[in-house]
Amino acid sequence: MDTAILIQQVLNGLSIASVITLIAVGVTLIFGLTGIINFAHGEFLMIGSFATWIVVQAGFGFVPALVIAVLAVAAMGFALERGLFRFTLTRPTNGFIVSLGLIVVLQHVVIFFYGPNQKSIPRPLSAVWDVGGVRIASVRVMVILVTIAVVAATFVMITRSRYGRALRAAVEDRDTAALMGIPVRRYITGVFVLGSALAGLGGALLIALFPVTPFTGGTMVMKGFAVALMGGLGNLTGAVVAGLILGIVEGFSAGYGFSEWTDAYSFGLMILVLLVRPNGLFGGTSGPKMA
Amino acid sequence: MRSLLLTGASVALCLAASAYSAAAEDTIKIGVVAAESGSFVSAGHTLPAGVSLAVKEINDAGGVKVGDKTYKIELLKRDDRTDVSTAIAATQELVRDDKVAAIFGSESHDFTLAMAKITQPAKVIHFAGNSTLAKVLNPTSVAPGGENHYLFQSEPQEFQRSGSTARGVLGLLEPLVGHPLKKSVVIVGNDATGQFLTSYYVKALKAEGQEVPEVISYPPDTTDFSPFLTRAKSLNPDVVHFWYNGDSTLTALPQALELGVAPSYFLFGVDPGIWKERGLTADVPVAMSCVPICWGESSNANAKTYFANYFAAGAPKGVTSSVSLLYYDYVHFLAEAWEKAGTLDPDATVAAIESLHHKGVVSDNLSFNTSHQVTHATEVCAAAPGGAITCAMQQPPAEEPK
């Protein structure tokens, strides 16, 4: 086996993993901590990509476009949580159906204004380094580093901050937390907005790597949910490790196995993990108990 | 007095009904079923755009003169949302409720087969721009009384399309690469269309003397192609052929360039217009093929006017905008057939279509063979590393390679 090709496949796996992990972190936060099953999370990501594209088209650089995409999708998350999902909190199935409806609505709004065709932006970083026959694209390194930084910051916030502790207390027992003065409803909004912001960031990073269409969200969110469940709902460490595993499995199956089965390998792995460890690799919340 | 009023009202109603009936008779309804949303949208949305343009041109020119009567064409569009069940439901609605005389679509082989199960028993003329209908179209099945008598394939057979493409790609790339091209790796989306088309394209490459060590299939909707490309790189190809899906192809190429997979590439279904609009560049030669004529750079004299009108009508400049030509020409063809037949009777219309030689955009001499299939050239272009683009219409092989 050619060593350079092998190392290249490992690097390929890492870059897939970072994109999937960004989505999974948003999914695991929203689904695991608020109980909202937002299947339109992929469309939030797609809107982040389109927002980035619009700003870059207007002549701004990638960094301001990324910031605007994050803020725009966070604002959209706030509006949708307050305007829609809030009314479904006691009936998660309704929330699930609402999110399915949102997929269609958001896709068609984007198609109406910007058409169905692919959109892409110039690569924010174009350098490609050749190290011993292994090609390393700087833009992929950027995506991996941003993912590490954002996931680490989110991890610290959830596990170390007062907000994070209160949030976890609300997940354990919503009523008692409310009696202790924790504004549970506001925290749910906060988590939803944070998850949406991460989707916006994921979208901005995605369009830095690949062209996007109004339909890009669908596949990505399925993998995001798979990773969130595999790692354990609400468990950030689990999401990161599961994202890595999925990325490496995808990379290697495409590179060395039956390449057309790549998706089947990943979802087969998810089924296997959930059969052996129903709460995911690292365990997680079973979702908040509904009022 | 009362009975006089009733009689008057009845006469007025009868006159109104007969006027309505005359107005209804002056219109021929045709339908188009295509993916205006969903994953096939980049090709799908070109169908209603192309058919609409042709309908507008025919109506603006006065309509279709059938016998001593002139008809306007009314177009009914249905979005199948890239969902076969929706395509079936839309076809049923158009055939049973709207009573259309003809249907155009869809862009997908499987969808067309399902739609034909409805259009054919109903004697509705059906044009489908799929290169893949050879399994159901043959002299027996399209003969009078045959199960697909009213179905017409408006794209050349796949061995022809693959043959002209493979020959054109290798012919344009070899001088740009500067040495003989011997080894080709094909990367293709793993769905029914991808599998079907690839079997023909690999045969066509081998007929051109290529060694094809592997066909690498990827799951549909793949965005990160790097593992597949790294696998292709390990095979040391002279050309990597990105086959079949234009959107995926455009996603994969920049990744291939980053990884330095091969000294040349071919992007199936990508128009040089998109290449130029997006400011794409490559440090190696890249061939592109259009289905059937390129809108961004064409050697076909008829193409310029058509695409100017097509985009002026509001159609977006997409990867596969030229797919519209697999439908546009055939609306005019059908109108000419109705005029020649002098009737809207489906059987007489089919006989007229079978005998016509139509001057279209794609070719000056469009006609259907005894299996209701057309033959015409495919345009292939190549972008040199410096950016210059060269295009050529490539005629298809006469016979299928063994």
Side-chain angles (χ1 to χ4, degrees):
Chain A
M1 190 182 287
D2 187 327
T3 312
I5 294 289
L6 179 70
I7 295 170
Q8 186 77 62
Q9 291 293 19
V10 173
L11 286 175
N12 295 337
L14 283 177
S15 58
I16 301 171
S18 59
V19 176
I20 296 172
T21 301
L22 261 183
I23 301 160
V25 167
V27 166
T28 207
L29 284 177
I30 293 174
F31 188 16
L33 300 183
T34 73
I36 296 171
I37 307 168
N38 182 20
F39 256 99
H41 195 77
E43 275 56 43
F44 285 34
L45 175 112
M46 176 271 289
I47 300 245
S49 294
F50 269 77
T52 308
W53 173 76
I54 291 164
V55 178
V56 170
Q57 285 288 106
F60 294 90
F62 176 71
V63 175
L66 179 144
V67 172
I68 291 171
V70 170
L71 293 176
V73 180
M76 185 180 82
F78 176 80
L80 289 173
E81 198 281 330
R82 286 292 170 99
L84 285 178
F85 288 105
R86 167 154 295 210
F87 302 106
T88 67
L89 281 177
T90 53
R91 291 190 179 275
T93 316
N94 289 5
F96 170 64
I97 300 298
V98 163
S99 76
L100 290 181
L102 259 183
I103 291 175
V104 180
V105 171
L106 291 175
Q107 282 180 359
H108 279 79
V109 166
V110 173
I111 290 170
F112 180 79
F113 286 107
Y114 302 107
N117 291 322
Q118 275 189 348
K119 302 286 183 278
S120 60
I121 60 170
R123 295 237 154 173
L125 298 172
S126 56
V128 179
W129 302 299
D130 193 319
V131 184
V134 178
R135 308 269 289 192
I136 304 168
S138 52
V139 68
R140 287 183 183 248
V141 174
M142 176 197 80
V143 169
I144 293 170
L145 292 178
V146 171
T147 305
I148 291 171
V150 169
V151 171
T154 309
F155 182 82
V156 168
M157 193 195 72
I158 296 291
T159 57
R160 300 278 188 273
S161 74
R162 185 179 167 78
Y163 173 84
R165 282 197 293 272
L167 185 65
R168 283 182 289 131
V171 171
E172 288 301 319
D173 189 334
R174 187 172 283 183
D175 293 334
T176 307
L179 286 172
M180 299 293 286
I182 295 172
V184 175
R185 282 287 165 99
R186 221 186 314 152
Y187 273 41
I188 289 173
T189 306
V191 171
F192 198 89
V193 169
L194 174 63
S196 303
L198 289 175
L201 175 66
L205 294 178
L206 192 71
I207 199 170
L209 290 172
F210 317 121
V212 296
T213 74
F215 312 102
T216 296
T219 322
M220 306 304 283
V221 80
M222 286 303 290
K223 289 190 177 161
F225 268 94
V227 166
L229 287 166
M230 220 163 94
L233 276 179
N235 192 317
L236 287 185
T237 312
V240 172
V241 173
L244 272 175
I245 292 172
L246 205 73
I248 299 289
V249 166
E250 284 205 354
F252 272 74
S253 59
Y256 297 105
F258 295 104
S259 58
E260 65 273 27
W261 287 15
T262 301
D263 285 345
Y265 287 126
S266 342
F267 285 102
L269 181 68
M270 180 197 75
I271 292 167
L272 191 67
V273 167
L274 292 181
L275 284 174
V276 179
R277 294 183 66 85
N279 287 331
L281 286 172
F282 288 77
T285 74
S286 53
K289 295 165 188 67
M290 298 304 156
Chain B
M1 183 65 185
R2 191 177 170 193
S3 72
L4 191 66
L5 278 174
L6 279 172
T7 309
S10 305
V11 169
L13 274 173
C14 286
L15 284 173
S18 106
Y20 174 78
S21 161
E25 279 174 11
D26 291 344
T27 302
I28 310 171
K29 287 182 182 175
I30 66 169
V32 59
V33 178
E36 293 196 82
S37 56
S39 55
F40 290 169
V41 69
S42 69
H45 74 80
T46 71
L47 277 60
V51 172
S52 291
L53 178 61
V55 167
K56 184 178 181 304
E57 288 171 352
I58 291 166
N59 287 341
D60 287 351
V64 189
K65 194 169 183 331
V66 183
D68 53 2
K69 209 167 200 175
T70 302
Y71 295 85
K72 292 287 169 105
I73 298 178
E74 180 186 348
L75 177 60
L76 305 173
K77 300 177 194 176
R78 296 291 181 270
D79 177 8
D80 68 29
R81 304 203 296 263
T82 316
D83 174 66
V84 71
S85 306
T86 310
I88 292 168
T91 308
Q92 278 176 334
E93 184 196 349
L94 289 169
V95 169
R96 292 178 191 171
D97 302 340
D98 297 312
K99 314 281 185 209
V100 293
I103 282 188
F104 292 79
S106 116
E107 66 293 321
S108 165
H109 170 80
D110 300 353
F111 291 24
T112 298
L113 291 185
M115 289 164 62
K117 297 286 181 197
I118 300 162
T119 56
Q120 298 310 289
K123 298 188 176 184
V124 170
I125 312 288
H126 186 168
F127 289 91
N130 311 132
S131 60
T132 53
L133 298 175
K135 282 183 181 171
V136 297
L137 292 179
N138 54 62
T140 308
S141 73
V142 304
E147 59 183 4
N148 289 309
H149 182 54
Y150 308 94
L151 179 61
F152 292 87
Q153 178 181 318
S154 56
E155 183 176 30
Q157 297 171 70
E158 190 47 43
F159 83 87
Q160 295 180 329
R161 213 266 305 269
S162 285
S164 53
T165 304
R167 189 174 296 167
V169 166
L170 297 168
L172 286 173
L173 283 180
E174 195 158 290
L176 293 171
V177 173
H179 61 77
L181 304 173
K182 292 177 181 167
K183 196 192 279 186
S184 285
V185 168
V186 179
I187 298 185
V188 62
N190 183 41
D191 58 19
T193 309
Q195 288 178 355
F196 183 87
L197 298 183
T198 303
S199 63
Y200 285 92
Y201 191 61
V202 168
K203 265 190 196 175
L205 286 172
K206 287 180 176 171
E208 296 297 322
Q210 289 294 292
E211 177 197 347
V212 185
E214 193 169 340
V215 173
I216 300 173
S217 300
Y218 59 84
D221 301 323
T222 294
T223 49
D224 191 344
F225 288 87
S226 54
F228 306 96
L229 292 165
T230 304
R231 181 174 183 151
K233 186 178 180 179
S234 71
L235 299 164
N236 296 315
D238 292 313
V239 193
V240 166
H241 302 254
F242 293 109
W243 186 238
Y244 156 50
N245 184 313
D247 283 332
S248 298
T249 289
L250 275 179
T251 306
L253 180 69
Q255 300 172 46
L257 294 171
E258 277 175 2
L259 291 167
V261 176
S264 65
Y265 300 95
F266 163 51
L267 314 178
F268 174 79
V270 171
D271 199 286
I274 286 289
W275 181 268
K276 289 191 280 191
E277 280 209 337
R278 295 197 184 172
L280 297 172
T281 55
D283 53 1
V284 293
V286 178
M288 291 162 261
S289 77
C290 305
V291 184
I293 297 175
C294 301
W295 57 262
E297 181 93 39
S298 181
S299 58
N300 181 307
N302 300 326
K304 195 172 177 183
T305 311
Y306 168 74
F307 286 119
N309 293 337
Y310 177 76
F311 294 125
K317 290 183 170 174
V319 176
T320 49
S321 292
S322 56
V323 168
S324 62
L325 274 169
L326 301 177
Y327 294 87
Y328 166 87
D329 273 340
Y330 301 93
V331 181
H332 284 288
F333 200 129
L334 178 62
E336 198 178 329
W338 276 326
E339 291 189 347
K340 183 179 180 187
T343 170
L344 297 177
D345 174 71
D347 292 300
T349 306
V350 168
I353 294 172
E354 287 171 341
S355 64
L356 264 176
H357 287 260
H358 177 75
K359 184 174 164 49
V361 176
V362 166
S363 162
D364 286 342
N365 184 17
L366 283 175
S367 63
F368 288 93
N369 68 9
T370 53
S371 297
H372 286 188
Q373 297 162 310
V374 291
T375 295
H376 55 70
T378 298
E379 187 149 48
V380 182
C381 301
I389 295 178
T390 314
C391 295
M393 294 299 290
Q394 188 72 50
Q395 293 300 327
E399 287 183 14
E400 187 167 356
K402 301 296 172 204

